[in-house]
Amino acid sequence: MDAAVHEREAAAVRERFEAHRLAWGDADGYGRSFAVGADYLTYYGGRLAGREGIVEGHRGLFAGVLKGSRLWAEITDLEFLAPDVALLHARGAVLKGKRTRPGRRALSVQTYVMTREPAGGWLIRAFQNTRYRPRVEALAGALARLAPKAG
């Protein structure tokens, strides 16, 4: 992919990501960001299969516990695996009340696989969300440094 095409496609992927973020709270609008056969893995390990499953899985949340919330999200890495496949790593959190930025304990790390669809532009084909645990990460790093070196 030449540089101009790369920049154009990266901009289109980022535009879809932002539209996805802004659709939070509207189950149908949120669902339009996903491919028909998408997979959605929640931070607690649940799986929502297909666009309709994702929409229905969020409809009750948006009418209940997540009513009035907003989605904070930012891309931390974007790579094209093929001309029609983008891999994104991101950070995200649900904001409630007057919060404008998430607290450290509210952050999730996320993986998106987006595909360019012939009729729908870039859509999310797979999404995975894991709650960020800074203490666990620090402990794992400390343990790794203590482990004997191989070789």
Side-chain angles (χ1 to χ4, degrees):
M1 181 180 309
D2 74 26
V5 172
H6 182 275
E7 286 306 313
R8 185 176 65 241
E9 294 305 329
V13 166
R14 290 178 189 281
E15 185 177 304
R16 169 56 70 187
F17 183 87
E18 184 65 5
H20 166 72
R21 185 188 71 76
L22 292 173
W24 184 260
D26 169 12
D28 295 310
Y30 188 70
R32 283 191 285 279
S33 292
F34 293 90
V36 171
D39 275 326
Y40 188 110
L41 300 176
T42 68
Y43 78 90
Y44 60 84
R47 179 177 179 225
L48 303 173
R51 179 186 291 156
E52 287 304 314
I54 294 164
V55 168
E56 292 311 312
H58 284 83
R59 194 176 304 286
L61 293 171
F62 291 156
V65 68
L66 296 178
K67 186 173 185 167
S69 65
R70 294 157 331 278
L71 184 61
W72 178 92
E74 66 180 9
I75 296 171
T76 58
D77 189 52
L78 168 58
E79 176 183 356
F80 288 96
L81 303 178
D84 295 332
V85 181
L87 173 65
L88 289 78
H89 291 99
R91 297 184 307 166
V94 173
L95 301 177
K96 294 183 178 180
K98 295 180 181 180
R99 289 199 76 108
T100 59
R101 294 213 27 109
R104 204 171 140 107
R105 293 181 46 93
L107 279 176
S108 290
V109 291
Q110 302 165 335
T111 304
Y112 292 79
V113 175
M114 289 189 175
T115 55
R116 185 175 32 202
E117 304 291 323
W122 287 96
L123 295 175
I124 301 165
R125 179 59 181 84
F127 171 78
Q128 182 271 326
N129 191 29
T130 300
R131 184 56 54 102
Y132 176 63
R133 298 288 185 228
R135 290 185 181 149
V136 173
E137 183 179 46
L139 177 61
L143 292 173
R145 288 187 296 278
L146 293 173
K149 303 290 187 232

